[in-house]
Every structure is written in C-alpha cells, then in structure tokens.
Amino acid sequence: QGGSQSTARRFNIFLGQQLFTPQDKTLRDPDPDDRPYAGWINGGVDFLEDADRQMLDRFRIQFGLIGPAALGKVTQNNTHLTIDVPRSQGWDKQLHTEPTLGLTLDRHRRFIGDLDDTISVDVIPAGRIALGNAFDDVAIGARARIGQNLRADYGLPRIEPGPLGTAYFNANALSPRSRFGWSVFIGAEGRAVGRNIFLDGNTFAASPS
C-alpha cells in the first residue's frame, strides 16, 4: 500500500486441454474449408494487480503443445465412446506437433455505483494484447453487471481465447453485511486477429488450415 492507493496482487496457475474440430466430424478427410482438427495442452501463470478495486492489470505467460502429443484424439473419442456418441473420424489429419509460447497483457477498468446497501451496478471496459505463435490479436470490449459483492472480482473467467475475463478474486473486498455474491451481466467484444494457429495452421510446416 502506498499513499492513499491500495494495491492487491495475486497470481493464478492454470493447466488445461482444448479441442478444436470441424463441423462435420464424420469425414475421414475433413472439409478443407472448415477449421482443422487440433488438440492443445497448455498451462502457465497469470500475474494480477488490482489498484483500489478500480483497475485490474493481468500479465499472462502461457506454454503449450499442439498436435498428436496433446492427446486430443484420445480425449474426444474415448469420451464419445463412454457417452455412446459417434467418434470423430478426421483426427489423423490434425495439426502437426508444435510447442506454443504466448504472452498476454490486459487491463480492466471498473466504474461502479451502489443502488442500496447490498446491490451495485458496474461497467467494466477492458482491452487485451496477445502475442505468440498460437495467437496474435488485439481485443477491446466491455461488460455491465448488476449484483451483490461486485467489488470482489471483475467478472467470470472464460476459456481463452474467449471473451475477456479473469479469475481474479479478492475476499477482502466482500461486504461485511454478507459474503454471498451474485451477478447478472451482459457484454460484447471486438477483436483484430493477426494470427490464430487453430485457423491458419502450423507456423513452420504445411498443415490443414
């Protein structure tokens, strides 16, 4: 804490697997005009800094692996077998193995007002820059919320590369009247995309795209 400004810092470690498939999964030779098959195992760390519960900055370092080693075919087809759904036929034409590295910087700015002792409304414009061999994009958007204990977070986390969101949460910002929180929200985002490996194909080798 410096001067009259309070600063809260957090970090978030994440690990996940994402699968990308074309619309028609019955074809052994997928439609070349549709998105290619791809699996992606990725993980990393977010560094978050919240200034006065009004502005949140996030810096993300993300590592990953695309291709057969990401086990997308195993995950999807074994799941489909378990729930008795036809298996996807085109995984042999997926993107080739490629490691990924990405850096992301985003900022969320909160404007908030209290309707009564428990209910608040806020508007959170946000922007993001993402660089790496998986994604290069610039995004700007905003969301509006109404609810209780809104100051404890900046909205729901999203599976990226989805709309702007963050896993930040500050329990110290919860109201002493109630630690229960809820919200209803609406938002929109626009994005300028330089590269998306899951649409454009592998970086250093010929591949479906």
Side-chain angles (χ1 to χ4, degrees):
Q1 182 171 339
S4 60
Q5 185 182 72
S6 63
T7 301
R9 295 182 176 89
R10 302 283 189 272
F11 70 91
N12 174 52
I13 297 172
F14 63 93
L15 177 67
Q17 182 190 45
Q18 291 172 243
L19 310 180
F20 301 85
T21 61
Q23 183 173 357
D24 188 347
K25 291 180 278 294
T26 65
L27 301 175
R28 293 186 179 276
D29 291 309
D31 182 352
D33 292 327
D34 204 338
R35 71 181 309 148
Y37 282 84
W40 186 31
I41 288 179
N42 65 91
V45 59
D46 294 332
F47 300 94
L48 304 115
E49 181 174 283
D50 181 17
D52 282 340
R53 302 171 189 169
Q54 295 179 340
M55 185 176 297
L56 179 72
D57 290 325
R58 182 188 70 156
F59 177 64
R60 164 170 285 194
I61 303 173
Q62 186 173 32
F63 303 92
L65 185 65
I66 292 169
L71 302 178
K73 176 181 180 179
V74 173
T75 298
Q76 186 174 67
N77 283 344
N78 283 348
T79 301
H80 283 193
L81 186 64
T82 301
I83 62 176
D84 196 24
V85 172
R87 289 186 288 180
S88 300
Q89 299 299 315
W91 273 106
D92 290 341
K93 302 297 176 66
Q94 66 180 296
L95 296 187
H96 308 307
T97 297
E98 181 176 334
T100 65
L101 172 64
L103 304 176
T104 304
L105 179 65
D106 55 50
R107 169 167 286 185
H108 306 251
R109 179 73 166 91
R110 186 206 314 275
F111 299 91
I112 191 167
D114 296 321
L115 298 182
D116 58 27
D117 290 343
T118 58
I119 305 301
S120 304
V121 294
D122 69 7
V123 176
I124 305 175
R128 178 184 65 230
I129 298 175
L131 298 172
N133 62 314
F135 305 106
D136 292 318
D137 63 57
V138 177
I140 188 168
R143 55 191 169 274
R145 303 186 297 168
I146 181 172
Q148 184 175 335
N149 273 320
L150 298 185
R151 289 176 174 84
D153 62 51
Y154 285 79
L156 295 174
R158 312 295 179 86
I159 298 176
E160 298 193 19
L164 287 158
T166 168
Y168 175 82
F169 180 78
N170 185 356
N172 295 327
L174 294 172
S175 169
R177 295 183 181 88
S178 172
R179 299 181 67 81
F180 176 78
W182 61 269
S183 67
V184 177
F185 66 92
I186 187 171
E189 178 186 294
R191 189 180 307 174
V193 179
R195 174 172 171 76
N196 180 331
I197 196 171
F198 302 106
L199 299 176
D200 296 322
N202 285 102
T203 309
F204 307 110
S207 72
S209 64

